[in-house]
Amino acid sequence: METSRLARRMAARFVAGDTLPEALAVSRRINSETILVTLDHLGENTSSLEEAAAYRDAYLLTLTEMVHAGIQGNVSLKLTQFGLDLSERACRANVEELVGRAAGLGNFVRVDMESSAYTDRTLAMVRDLHAAHGAVGAVIQAYLYRSRADIEDLARRQIRVRLCKGAYLEPPSVAFRRKSEVDRNFIALTQLLLDTAPYPAIATHDPRMIDAAREHAAKRGIPRAAFEFQMLYGIRRDLQRQLVKDGYRLRLYVPFGPAWYPYFMRRLAERPANMLFLARHLFR
Ligand code: FDA
């Protein structure tokens, strides 16, 4: 898939390109609409420490070039991309180098959340690195039962949180399965974040979740600059424009790089209509 021209064209809806210059050009365009970015150099579950070190170097370059180019944004990464499955120590050293650089540049690193097999290790690493450098934040998934307790802990430590619904297939022993339950928890956790956490990010394309956040912030008199919405590049551009027009802060998650296959598959799987999109392209 990753080397097929056709597949690449389909993925272009969700992925900003294969290279850093392409990602920076897309980011500049997004910034011109007063929307912030977070750049994700795609990759996960790396299979060697050399590969993990290469990703670390790619992120160091991304951060530096982004700051030099005056792009309003930060970076998001996955710990399995930085070698978590191979060596926790090497992974930590890789991420620490990036977080140290971000702190020096006055920038920020968001550590994405992967499947529940990684939640404890991911949060432990974010806590440690935050204590040492600041400049790093976590992601919490509303479909996990544990998330309220995790948010309470992160908020106590003044660690910034991005809240999302969650994108992995999880067993009922750890996660809500029904959409209505995930949505209810998302709204409750949004309120908790707005009330107690530093500069939370509400990451969703669901208008009901967005309205609930807006209503709660208005009711509590929380200023629009005290939180941000986040969406994925290429999804619900109508909603993106509306939020900006209404004066809210918005950040787009902009993935780029040649290893786009797992990311693209998660985006297709999230929504049946995307399979029609795929089928239409294939027939064409
Ligand atoms: P929901 O899935 O209910 O969708 C609501 C509406 O949004 C749909 O009706 C549709 O209109 C639109 N929509 C949603 N997904 C779409 C798609 N793929 N294609 C087209 N339209 C779509 N997950 C995770 O496990 N770990 C992480 O670190 C992150 N990080 C992250 C960052 C950011 C900025 C965002 C926006 C999301 C994530 N996610 C994530 C993904 C998240 O967990 C979730 O899978 C998706 O955001 C879809 O959930 P929604 O909240 O959009 O609602």
Side-chain angles (χ1 to χ4, degrees), residues 103-211:
L105 291 167
N107 206 284
F108 178 77
V109 175
R110 178 77 64 179
V111 178
D112 287 348
M113 189 56 80
E114 300 174 73
S115 77
S116 60
Y118 300 106
T119 311
D120 278 328
R121 283 176 287 168
T122 303
L123 292 178
M125 203 173 295
V126 171
R127 279 196 302 267
D128 273 13
L129 292 177
H130 184 269
H133 303 276
V136 63
V139 176
I140 293 294
Q141 297 153 322
Y143 63 16
L144 294 185
Y145 304 136
R146 58 178 288 169
S147 288
R148 172 169 284 272
D150 287 334
I151 287 177
E152 285 167 355
D153 180 65
L154 292 163
R156 251 195 316 275
R157 296 167 196 269
Q158 291 294 297
I159 298 177
R160 277 160 61 175
V161 171
R162 169 201 296 154
L163 178 67
C164 64
K165 287 190 186 177
Y168 298 81
L169 188 62
E170 297 288 355
S173 53
V174 300
F176 298 109
R177 295 303 288 272
R178 264 187 264 138
K179 178 171 159 57
S180 58
E181 293 173 319
V182 178
D183 287 357
R184 198 173 317 123
N185 202 36
F186 191 101
I187 291 173
L189 297 181
T190 295
Q191 295 175 348
L192 178 65
L193 281 170
L194 287 170
D195 288 343
T196 64
Y199 196 67
I202 312 302
T204 180
H205 318 89
D206 186 337
R208 285 185 42 244
M209 303 300 109
I210 291 170
D211 286 348

Side-chain angles (χ1 to χ4, degrees), residues 235-281:
I235 297 182
R236 293 301 306 254
R237 271 167 281 207
D238 55 332
L239 270 184
Q240 295 173 13
R241 277 191 220 106
Q242 189 60 49
L243 280 177
V244 173
K245 197 163 145 256
D246 293 346
Y248 289 94
R249 287 194 182 202
L250 174 65
R251 187 183 303 273
L252 289 195
Y253 185 101
V254 179
F256 73 100
W260 47 261
Y261 180 74
Y263 178 85
F264 179 55
M265 282 296 136
R266 279 198 295 277
R267 300 291 80 82
L268 287 182
E270 258 155 17
R271 207 167 162 245
N274 285 342
M275 297 314 288
L276 286 177
F277 161 79
L278 180 71
R280 259 206 319 272
H281 258 77

